[in-house]
Amino acid sequence: RKEVEQDPGPFNVPEGATVAFNCTYSNSASQSFFWYRQDCRKEPKLLMSVYSSGNEDGRFTAQLNRASQYISLLIRDSKLSDSATYLCVVAQGADGATNKLIFGTGTLLAVQP
Amino acid sequence: EPEVTQTPSHQVTQMGQEVILRCVPISNHLYFYWYRQILGQKVEFLVSFYNNEISEKSEIFDDQFSVERPDGSNFTLKIRSTKLEDSAMYFCASSEVFGAQQPQHFGDGTRLSIL
């Protein structure tokens, strides 16, 4: 089983649509969770951290379900500029001795005019 | 906003040659990382570095790889004898403190092409 698993997409949506991405992770001891965004041939950029209680940042909402080992990202009112690959990222850190990031393969979003 | 900077942006090297990739982390950050991304694949952890020593390394980070912080600002990744399969995008990252909750900030990468 992959450490972090995502649907690769692509998700093709019209401007203004709501789109949701899902991710599962295999290590139940994982401590921290993030969504990064990566534009083509660019570096990953932190979009938001994901907290157990769920959190929102403008049009973006992230949810975490530890019992199901499942993370989600919801984008409302999508813009053309949201077109990118969305990376689900998990930090191990179970024993406090590591904070390496484990990346999913990413979900490609294409917002159409 | 402070950022991680990497040089060069693109490095082309003959197989078997040594290559050094350079990074300047964010100035008050103490933890440094290298990741790589082979074209079309996911980002993979290589190594983490703190207090002038390696904290953790992956299976990819074999004896051909080394890291150092030679002068208190630069953080370098050296590949001693490059192979074709080392061709990838190499990202440096840094974080202010240790902890899985701490976000890591990435540089814009060095594209390494091995011929």
Side-chain angles (χ1 to χ4, degrees), chain B residues 70-85:
Chain B
D71 57 12
S73 62
N74 287 285
F75 177 51
T76 62
L77 173 69
K78 183 194 291 187
I79 309 175
R80 223 178 320 277
S81 177
T82 49
K83 307 186 197 63
L84 293 176
E85 54 265 36

Side-chain angles (χ1 to χ4, degrees), chain A residues 36 44 46, chain B residues 1-2 4 26 29 92-96 103-107:
Chain A
Y36 277 74
L46 179 66
Chain B
E1 185 180 322
V4 176
I26 295 173
H29 285 191
C92 173
S94 68
S95 62
E96 188 173 353
Q104 295 177 21
H105 299 269
F106 285 73

